[in-house]
Amino acid sequence: MDRQRLSSIAHSHHPIAAPVSGVNVNRLLRRAGRRPAARILDLGCGEAAWALQALAHHPDGHADGVDLSPYALERAADAAAVRGLADRLTLHERDARSYVPDGDYDLVLCVGSTHAFGGFGDTLELAGRHVNADGILMVGEGFWQVPPTPEALTALGAKPDDHTDLPGLVAAAEQIGWTPVYAHVSDTAEWDDYEWSWTGSLSEWALDNPGHPAAAGALAAAREHRDQWLRGYRGVLGFVTLVLRRI
């Protein structure tokens, strides 16, 4: 079983795929504007949970979701159908970098997917090309909540300069020409819910399917990730979702 499928199983109970609670997703989307007919783009959309929730805030809007994972997009299509939003969501199975920019979206989302563009700065440069002059770019990114420990760096396979602190992240955005008009910093409860849901869904799948050839691997993957989190980056890596406008 490949990593995309494992990830899809792991996120089955937490489709937002970021350590942000539903209440705070809605708060962020409210701050991102209320244009009823907004054009929305979700880059690295996964199961398109953010895009679908954005459509609830923009009752005459349309969203495009872009992701490489066919499993995630299949779940996104199912979720859109259940919510009666299938006619307002178009899904694209492709690399977010290759999605042709037209600069005409009112809201562009890239939450927890900046790796698809090569990092935070490149995300603001490249994803920002899709945003119209008065539009919003919403980006979710990790930052060092405290100076990274050796255990955190090992668990994440990271170097100290892979992230900055929160003031540094805001300064980097402003240097590129974007300024935050709102932000949400995920708290410990949101992180814990996200991580326990991720590892728990994978573990439950393995326990419910003991005869599956991938069950042992899934259980081992859940244990490895849980240990990396608990023994490594818990309380060290933070996550912020920035609501950005052009300066």
Side-chain angles (χ1 to χ4, degrees):
M1 184 178 291
D2 63 27
R3 290 180 64 85
Q4 283 188 343
R5 181 62 177 146
L6 284 175
S7 182
S8 180
I9 292 168
H11 286 121
S12 61
H13 291 159
H14 210 297
I16 289 293
V20 186
S21 69
V23 169
N24 288 316
V25 169
N26 283 318
R27 181 177 291 116
L28 285 158
L29 290 169
R30 281 195 299 271
R31 295 300 293 256
R34 299 284 296 193
R35 295 186 179 106
R39 290 192 72 214
I40 300 155
L41 175 62
D42 192 350
L43 295 163
C45 67
E47 298 176 19
W50 286 81
L52 290 171
Q53 199 57 26
L55 288 174
H57 289 261
H58 302 278
D60 298 316
H62 183 274
D64 288 290
V66 182
D67 203 276
L68 278 171
S69 169
Y71 303 109
L73 293 177
E74 182 180 342
R75 294 178 69 92
D78 290 344
V82 167
R83 294 179 64 168
L85 295 171
D87 61 332
R88 296 207 283 133
L89 176 68
T90 304
L91 299 169
H92 308 265
E93 186 182 333
R94 63 190 303 173
D95 189 321
R97 280 179 173 266
S98 69
Y99 189 74
V100 178
D102 65 3
D104 196 30
Y105 286 94
D106 300 294
L107 171 61
V108 174
L109 303 160
C110 187
V111 182
S113 299
T114 57
H115 57 274
F117 292 98
F120 181 70
D122 288 338
T123 297
L124 267 57
E125 293 276 9
L126 297 173
R129 294 163 60 196
H130 298 282
V131 184
N132 66 31
D134 298 317
I136 292 286
L137 177 60
M138 190 183 299
V139 179
E141 178 67 314
F143 66 93
W144 295 129
Q145 192 169 310
V146 298
T149 61
E151 294 80 7
L153 294 172
T154 298
L156 295 166
K159 302 184 294 295
D161 60 0
D162 283 349
H163 299 288
T164 182
D165 58 12
L166 184 56
L169 203 61
V170 171
E174 294 209 307
Q175 286 171 3
I176 297 168
W178 296 87
T179 194
V181 293
Y182 189 68
H184 171 72
V185 176
S186 299
D187 64 19
T188 302
E190 287 172 300
W191 262 113
D192 285 356
D193 177 64
Y194 173 73
E195 297 287 4
W196 285 120
S197 294
W198 200 101
T199 58
S201 295
L202 204 53
S203 297
E204 284 188 314
W205 180 87
L207 296 172
D208 290 341
N209 297 274
H212 196 287
L219 202 59
R223 183 183 302 113
E224 180 184 19
H225 184 93
R226 187 178 62 238
D227 285 349
Q228 289 170 339
W229 163 52
L230 290 174
R231 300 179 187 276
Y233 61 89
R234 185 175 187 266
V236 178
L237 183 67
F239 191 86
V240 62
T241 307
L242 298 163
V243 180
L244 300 164
R245 287 186 62 182
R246 283 191 178 86
I247 297 172

